[in-house]
Amino acid sequence: MLLGSFPSDCLENCRAKLEKIISDNKAELERLLGQKEKNYISFVRPFMEAGERISVFFTPISHLQSVQNSAETQEAFADCIEPLTVYSTELLHNKDVYNAFAEIRRKEYENLSPVARKVLDDAIFDFELEGVNLSGEEKNRIREINVRLSELSDQFSQNLLDATNAYKIVITDAKILGEMPESDKTSAKCDNGWEFTLQMPSYTAFMTYVINREKREEVYRAYSTRAPENSAIITEILALRDEKTHLLGYSNFAELNIRKMSAPSVLCVISFLRELGVIGKPYAVKDKARLAEFAAKDGIAEIEAFDINYYSNKFKKVCFDYDEEALRPYFEQNTVVNGLFSIIKRLFNIDFTEKPAKLWHEKAKYFEISEYGTVLGGLFMDLEARPEKRSGAWMNNWHTYHRDASGKGHLPQAFIVANFPVSKPDNPSLLRHDDVTTLFHEMGHALHHLLSETDELSVSGVNGIDWDTVEFPSQFLENYAYSSEVLDTLGIHYKTCEKLPPDLREKVVSARNFQAAMALVRQVEFALFDMLIHLEKMDEKQVQTTLNSVREEVAVIIPPGYNLFQNGFSHIFSGGYAAGYYSYKWAEMLSSDAFCAFTEKGLFDKDLAKSFRDNVLGRGAGCKMSEIYRDFLGRDPDHKSILKYAGLV
């Protein structure tokens, strides 16, 4: 497939097409197993290529399910999930394939490159983790569990999307909107007033500016009680994860999952999180007390969860003498994207060139990535909110850089998706600074995948990355969004073309750690909750009890009793972060320490940037991050960097 070519017909007869690929792969596997002399090049690389064919075919379908959700995409996605899950499970239960990998490792290991050795080690571990050595009956049960978990994950996500799209509230009195920016009002304008939904840009605007407390609670209640049917799904998901865990010989799902991480143990992770909580909570208590004192001037006796956005925005404006919304005219979407491209050019000498392409939506764009005229890969971007798009922002990898058995190189492609304010002919998409930071974050993920120089497919780009370090490059790049030098490049008024005024720019930088402790303990709350519910089998009541206990331990904002946060926690129930949400803080330790090195030597220091590109971005999962980090900086990370960047030590 040519770079920049998106398969517009990928939904048509997708199950039949997938089954044909699976059938061809099975025939290819029989040929590979039939070889008298199997070696790394003749067996392992073609085996990885077969997996890539499946991924390249299915990724566009999964992508459309997320960005252009419809009855058609739901049906296509569901049609593919069962054969895909059955195929992958059968493959990882194939003892002949496992034995072939083991034989190649035994015969060739000492003569292979360290990267090829890791491919073999990872593959053999994956086989064992899926129960290749179990009995036939146990393997069948693992297969059933995998299929059901895939179905439940998709249903959890779909329920959440449906509930998000089902709610709307119309405000007819302009006074209730308070100081809401004109861009948000324009986006919400309807025939009889202003219509708001639970989609993130709309929800955030409502909770930040609407002065009527009862209305804020009404919308907050709708948001925090979405998809009540997900409670039963959570119970089933946790039960199935626990059953699979015990079939594989582990005591709990967290213990099983930590084997795929860089953190040494579950106990180490829980201790890490609790240490952050112990250090952060006293500061968070002070943050909340200051906010509560400020809100008390409005007669608020007890500040609640649905007050936080509103009063934090007002308090921040008082503390730093600027309104977050005053920034938005300086962060027009296209200007920010082009500014980001120029920053990446300075850091890594990479060019982004927009190319014409027939894509899934008129707002989507395609960019060719090159260096000195040599094409390195491609990036699709779809940045604006719409009802049929899943909430949030993400990067999704598609093609992966690698060399096949014949030595031919293949170029990578990836997607960046967000839900930024919608642009209209008379109203451009003006971003909050949080949106800018989000874009930098997702670009960090994309660069991690697109700038890989690792020839082996299963450990190239973001493939095979330890889940608790996958956020390292993304969080690292986020830091640039708070640099005065970078803000000077990005911040250009969409009407006057004036740069962001220096005084306002410095206020943005100085305000970075506003309520940082409250944000820290909130992330610890999510991560600790995630770890604890995966230590034993739990039903929905026990899940709620655990969440309440965690909040008592680390949180300073205790939500109302009707809040069902867990029913919307898609990261761990329909994403890849189960027993791994701590990864955000673990990776932040690395990113904070790395950025400290850049602030000391210069944000665009050529030698340091080259080392970051060559090691962190270029080596993929070809070796452990601990080794990559030492090669990058010549030392291990300083664990206190995460607290330094939050201003807590």
Side-chain angles (χ1 to χ4, degrees):
M1 180 176 291
L2 296 175
L3 285 178
S5 175
F6 186 85
S8 58
D9 63 344
C10 63
L11 301 180
E12 298 174 11
N13 301 315
C14 58
R15 178 156 183 154
K17 293 175 184 175
L18 176 61
E19 289 175 341
K20 176 66 166 60
I21 296 172
I22 290 173
S23 177
D24 291 345
N25 276 3
K26 288 180 176 180
E28 170 72 354
L29 184 58
E30 287 301 312
R31 185 191 69 78
L32 294 175
L33 289 171
Q35 296 177 109
K36 290 184 179 180
E37 291 295 327
K38 303 179 188 67
N39 58 51
Y40 188 90
I41 298 297
S42 72
F43 186 88
V44 177
R45 277 194 173 174
F47 180 85
M48 290 190 290
E49 280 286 323
E52 178 76 347
R53 284 193 291 273
I54 294 283
S55 177
V56 166
F57 172 79
F58 182 67
T59 295
I61 297 171
S62 176
H63 175 72
L64 289 181
Q65 167 77 335
S66 297
V67 302
Q68 203 79 336
N69 190 276
S70 66
E72 185 183 10
T73 65
Q74 293 171 32
E75 182 181 0
F77 187 87
D79 281 348
C80 290
I81 279 294
E82 182 181 359
L84 189 62
T85 306
V86 169
Y87 169 72
S88 60
T89 303
E90 286 179 348
L91 196 60
L92 287 170
H93 287 174
N94 191 316
K95 196 66 177 284
D96 291 335
V97 178
Y98 171 77
N99 289 338
F101 270 89
E103 178 187 355
I104 292 168
R105 182 168 68 172
R106 181 175 56 82
K107 289 183 177 179
E108 294 189 55
Y109 200 75
E110 296 303 319
N111 297 321
L112 292 173
S113 70
V115 175
R117 292 177 188 175
K118 190 166 186 298
V119 169
L120 290 174
D121 290 341
D122 287 355
I124 289 171
F125 176 69
D126 285 342
F127 276 105
E128 293 172 348
L129 206 58
E130 283 299 310
V132 70
N133 293 318
L134 297 178
S135 68
E137 183 178 339
E138 291 171 326
K139 284 181 183 178
N140 287 335
R141 182 55 187 153
I142 291 284
R143 184 181 298 112
E144 292 171 356
I145 290 172
N146 288 343
V147 170
R148 183 59 180 156
L149 283 172
S150 294
E151 294 171 348
L152 291 170
S153 173
D154 182 49
Q155 190 59 55
F156 185 99
S157 181
Q158 190 63 51
N159 289 344
L160 198 56
L161 180 62
D162 291 345
T164 298
N165 289 336
Y167 180 88
K168 66 179 181 180
I169 183 172
V170 175
I171 301 297
T172 57
D173 183 356
K175 293 180 182 178
I176 291 178
L177 302 181
E179 298 178 354
M180 185 176 292
E182 287 303 318
S183 56
D184 283 327
K185 290 181 182 178
T186 301
S187 296
K189 196 74 179 75
C190 62
D191 291 341
N192 56 336
W194 296 266
E195 181 180 288
F196 295 90
T197 71
L198 299 183
Q199 294 171 32
M200 192 49 64
S202 181
Y203 175 76
T204 300
F206 193 96
M207 297 304 295
T208 303
Y209 294 102
V210 166
I211 65 175
N212 185 298
R213 195 182 192 213
E214 288 72 26
K215 293 292 185 185
R216 288 203 310 273
E217 182 177 12
E218 178 185 339
V219 173
Y220 171 84
R221 181 188 288 267
Y223 186 84
S224 63
T225 58
R226 289 175 299 165
E229 61 271 41
N230 279 353
S231 292
I233 290 178
I234 288 172
T235 296
E236 188 174 356
I237 285 175
L238 293 178
L240 290 171
R241 286 174 180 169
D242 185 73
E243 182 183 355
K244 180 177 177 179
T245 292
H246 285 93
L247 283 171
L248 294 173
Y250 292 86
S251 60
N252 57 66
F253 184 80
E255 179 191 324
L256 180 151
N257 204 55
I258 208 73
R259 290 289 306 275
K260 299 180 287 184
M261 305 293 199
S262 68
S265 68
V266 172
L267 181 60
C268 175
V269 169
I270 292 175
S271 298
F272 168 72
L273 293 172
R274 284 191 159 134
E275 181 181 0
L276 290 180
V278 167
I279 294 173
K281 188 168 183 178
Y283 291 94
V285 168
K286 292 178 182 178
D287 280 350
K288 181 189 176 184
R290 286 192 288 266
L291 186 63
E293 183 181 359
F294 178 76
K297 296 175 183 178
D298 273 2
I300 303 299
E302 181 69 30
I303 195 165
E304 300 285 356
F306 45 83
D307 297 317
I308 300 301
N309 280 27
Y310 179 74
Y311 282 106
S312 291
N313 178 64
K314 293 183 69 174
F315 190 41
K316 186 175 183 180
K317 184 177 179 181
V318 170
C319 291
F320 298 98
D321 192 28
Y322 84 95
D323 183 352
E324 185 78 25
E325 290 303 314
L327 297 174
R328 287 178 61 171
Y330 293 94
F331 294 135
E332 189 274 326
Q333 182 193 133
N334 293 320
T335 302
V336 170
V337 170
N338 290 330
L340 174 57
F341 289 163
S342 70
I343 288 158
I344 295 169
K345 169 74 171 178
R346 289 184 65 187
L347 275 170
F348 306 124
N349 200 41
I350 301 301
D351 291 302
F352 292 80
T353 306
E354 186 174 354
K355 296 289 185 179
K358 186 177 180 181
L359 305 178
W360 56 92
H361 193 273
E362 61 182 6
K363 295 291 182 70
K365 296 180 179 180
Y366 176 75
F367 298 90
E368 187 177 82
I369 302 170
S370 61
E371 182 178 22
Y372 297 120
T374 299
V375 177
L376 302 180
L379 176 66
F380 299 88
M381 299 183 84
D382 183 356
L383 302 181
E384 298 186 13
R386 51 183 180 270
E388 66 273 16
K389 183 190 284 188
R390 175 164 64 89
S391 63
W394 63 92
M395 186 284 293
N396 196 15
N397 51 302
W398 187 11
H399 296 81
T400 299
Y401 171 80
H402 68 284
R403 293 195 179 278
D404 59 26
S406 68
K408 178 184 176 182
H410 296 261
L411 298 181
Q413 295 191 95
F415 303 93
I416 288 180
V417 181
N419 276 274
F420 296 155
V422 178
S423 61
K424 297 179 180 179
D426 58 345
N427 188 42
S429 175
L430 303 180
L431 309 187
R432 295 178 175 85
H433 187 257
D434 282 349
D435 297 328
V436 176
T437 304
T438 294
L439 181 61
F440 274 61
H441 180 101
E442 300 308 333
M443 180 59 79
H445 281 308
L447 293 177
H448 199 185
H449 188 70
L450 295 169
L451 297 186
S452 177
E453 296 179 345
T454 300
D455 290 342
E456 308 304 331
L457 211 162
S458 68
V459 293
S460 180
V462 297
N463 290 346
I465 295 288
D466 292 332
W467 206 242
D468 54 3
T469 61
V470 74
E471 298 293 335
F472 170 23
S474 56
Q475 292 179 344
F476 167 78
L477 200 61
E478 270 188 46
N479 290 301
Y480 279 83
Y482 286 92
S483 157
S484 292
E485 186 176 356
V486 169
L487 287 171
D488 191 51
T489 300
L490 294 179
I492 300 174
H493 198 286
Y494 79 103
K495 284 184 177 178
T496 67
C497 295
E498 294 176 356
K499 286 194 172 185
L500 186 66
D503 61 330
L504 189 53
R505 187 177 67 227
E506 293 310 312
K507 288 173 182 176
V508 174
V509 176
S510 62
R512 180 178 188 180
N513 285 332
F514 177 69
Q515 296 181 344
M518 286 172 61
L520 173 68
V521 297
R522 184 164 171 78
Q523 286 296 301
V524 171
E525 173 192 331
F526 297 166
L528 190 56
F529 164 70
D530 170 43
M531 292 301 294
L532 295 181
I533 64 170
H534 286 106
L535 291 180
E536 58 183 289
K537 181 180 175 182
M538 291 189 182
D539 59 25
E540 59 186 88
K541 290 183 179 179
Q542 292 168 313
V543 166
Q544 184 65 58
T545 299
T546 302
L547 181 54
N548 294 343
S549 175
V550 169
R551 285 170 173 162
E552 183 68 25
E553 179 181 353
V554 302
V556 295
I557 305 297
I558 307 298
Y562 57 73
N563 178 290
L564 292 173
F565 157 78
Q566 61 271 32
N567 288 355
F569 200 1
S570 56
H571 278 77
I572 69 170
F573 295 118
S574 64
Y577 284 89
Y581 194 82
Y582 80 91
S583 300
Y584 284 100
K585 303 314 288 182
W586 194 266
E588 192 177 333
M589 172 184 66
L590 302 174
S591 64
S592 299
D593 188 61
F595 194 71
C596 280
F598 274 85
T599 56
E600 291 169 4
K601 296 194 69 174
L603 290 187
F604 296 95
D605 183 85
K606 292 187 180 300
D607 292 338
L608 201 54
K610 185 177 187 305
S611 182
F612 188 88
R613 177 179 171 180
D614 291 346
N615 290 294
V616 178
L617 301 179
R619 291 167 68 180
C623 62
K624 281 288 184 181
M625 183 56 73
S626 56
E627 180 183 336
I628 288 174
Y629 200 91
R630 282 192 292 270
D631 289 343
F632 160 51
L633 276 187
R635 60 170 176 79
D636 290 327
D638 179 358
H639 288 204
K640 291 184 179 178
S641 294
I642 187 174
L643 297 169
K644 290 178 183 176
Y645 256 81
L648 303 183
V649 293

